């Protein structure tokens, strides 16, 4: 009997897309008009982020290479796994009952050049299609809420949800902004927990000043 598709089975086909986006960011005037417009929009978004175009491009490259390693090692086909890369920090999320596969995913991520940290948030449990649908809805709700909150620079946050647990990585301008993001997440139906791996910009500035 074929295995039941899991949430990350829907995400891993995006691997070629990640490579394409990375390539587009490096294209010059020789690109076709349609591609150039798409690349320009991508560059505009990246430039608005705290990590900038170079940081965004580097993170996409790292993410693509991690995906490639997962495919080569068949990790992508055996476990429910997601990857977010922000400023060289790799956030691994998903669900698997196989401890060895989880450990293998962490080791493979560390093998990619440019990786500064690997945050292992893999859950050692099952996750089904119903969980995937609910988690996708939660992520969409949170993305929408922080996007329309004028006191949050939403473009600086990446969100993953697994079995009702919301994982957030990115850059907050100050602690109050991060609290607003966390509050939005906690007030969404079906959310069981909210875990932040967000870097707070203002706190680092104050620490450096002392």
């Amino acid at each position: 009997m074929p295995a039941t598709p899991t949430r990350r089975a829907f995400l891993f086909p995006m691997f070629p897309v990640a490579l394409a986006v990375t390539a587009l960011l490096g294209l010059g005037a020789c690109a076709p008009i349609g591609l150039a417009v798409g690349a320009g929009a991508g560059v505009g978004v990246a430039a608005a982020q705290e990590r900038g175009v170079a940081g965004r491009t580097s993170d996409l490259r790292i993410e693509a290479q991690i995906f490639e390693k997962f495919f080569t090692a068949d990790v992508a086909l055996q476990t429910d796994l997601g990857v977010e890369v922000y400023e060289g920090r790799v956030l691994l999320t998903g669900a698997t009952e196989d401890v060895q596969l989880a450990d293998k995913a962490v080791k493979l991520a560390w093998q990619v050049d440019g990786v500064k940290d690997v945050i292992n948030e893999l859950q050692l449990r099952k996750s089904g299609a119903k969980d995937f649908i609910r988690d996708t809805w939660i992520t969409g709700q949170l993305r929408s809420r922080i996007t329309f909150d004028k006191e949050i620079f939403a473009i600086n946050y990446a969100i993953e949800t697994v079995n009702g647990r919301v994982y957030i990585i990115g850059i907050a301008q100050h602690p109050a902004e991060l609290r607003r993001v966390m509050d939005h997440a906690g007030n969404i139906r079906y959310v069981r927990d909210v875990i932040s791996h967000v870097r707070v910009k203002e706190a680092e500035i104050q620490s450096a000043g002392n």
Side-chain angles (χ1 to χ4, degrees), residues 142 146 149 151-152 157 168 172-187 194 196 198 200 202-203:
L142 180 54
I146 67 174
D149 188 328
E151 297 186 38
I152 296 175
Y157 295 88
I168 308 170
Q173 298 299 304
H174 42 72
E177 182 188 80
L178 179 56
R179 282 195 298 272
R180 291 186 70 86
V181 174
M182 299 288 284
D183 287 344
H184 280 305
N187 288 327
V194 184
S196 170
V198 175
V200 182
E202 183 181 280

Side-chain angles (χ1 to χ4, degrees), residues 98-120:
D98 192 326
V99 177
Q100 291 183 340
L101 275 177
D103 291 341
K104 188 175 183 179
V106 173
K107 291 178 181 178
L108 289 171
W110 270 117
Q111 292 175 11
V112 175
D113 290 339
V115 171
K116 298 176 181 178
D117 190 17
V118 178
I119 304 167
N120 182 9

Side-chain angles (χ1 to χ4, degrees), residues 12 15 21 37 82 90 92 96 166 168 189 198 201 203-204 210:
F12 275 101
F15 164 63
V21 172
V37 170
V90 180
L92 298 180
T96 178
V166 178
I168 308 170
R189 190 179 181 187
V198 175
K201 183 178 176 182
E204 293 180 350
N210 295 331

Side-chain angles (χ1 to χ4, degrees), residues 120-140:
N120 182 9
E121 289 289 1
L122 288 167
Q123 298 178 20
L124 297 177
R125 55 169 291 181
K126 287 183 178 180
S127 182
K130 183 177 180 180
D131 298 307
F132 169 76
I133 294 171
R134 183 172 55 200
D135 292 342
T136 301
W137 179 83
I138 290 172
T139 298

Side-chain angles (χ1 to χ4, degrees), residues 56-69:
R56 173 62 170 160
T57 303
S58 176
D59 288 342
L60 281 173
R61 175 190 59 78
I62 292 171
E63 185 172 317
Q65 290 181 1
I66 291 174
F67 280 153
E68 184 176 20
K69 284 187 175 293

Side-chain angles (χ1 to χ4, degrees), residues 26-89:
L27 289 176
C30 61
I33 293 177
L35 292 181
V37 170
V43 170
V45 170
Q49 294 178 327
E50 288 287 343
R51 57 181 166 174
V53 175
R56 173 62 170 160
T57 303
S58 176
D59 288 342
L60 281 173
R61 175 190 59 78
I62 292 171
E63 185 172 317
Q65 290 181 1
I66 291 174
F67 280 153
E68 184 176 20
K69 284 187 175 293
F70 286 170
F71 272 112
T72 302
D74 288 334
V75 173
L77 302 178
Q78 300 180 56
T79 187
D80 185 12
L81 184 63
V83 180
E84 288 286 354
V85 183
Y86 213 102
E87 296 183 307
R89 301 165 63 219

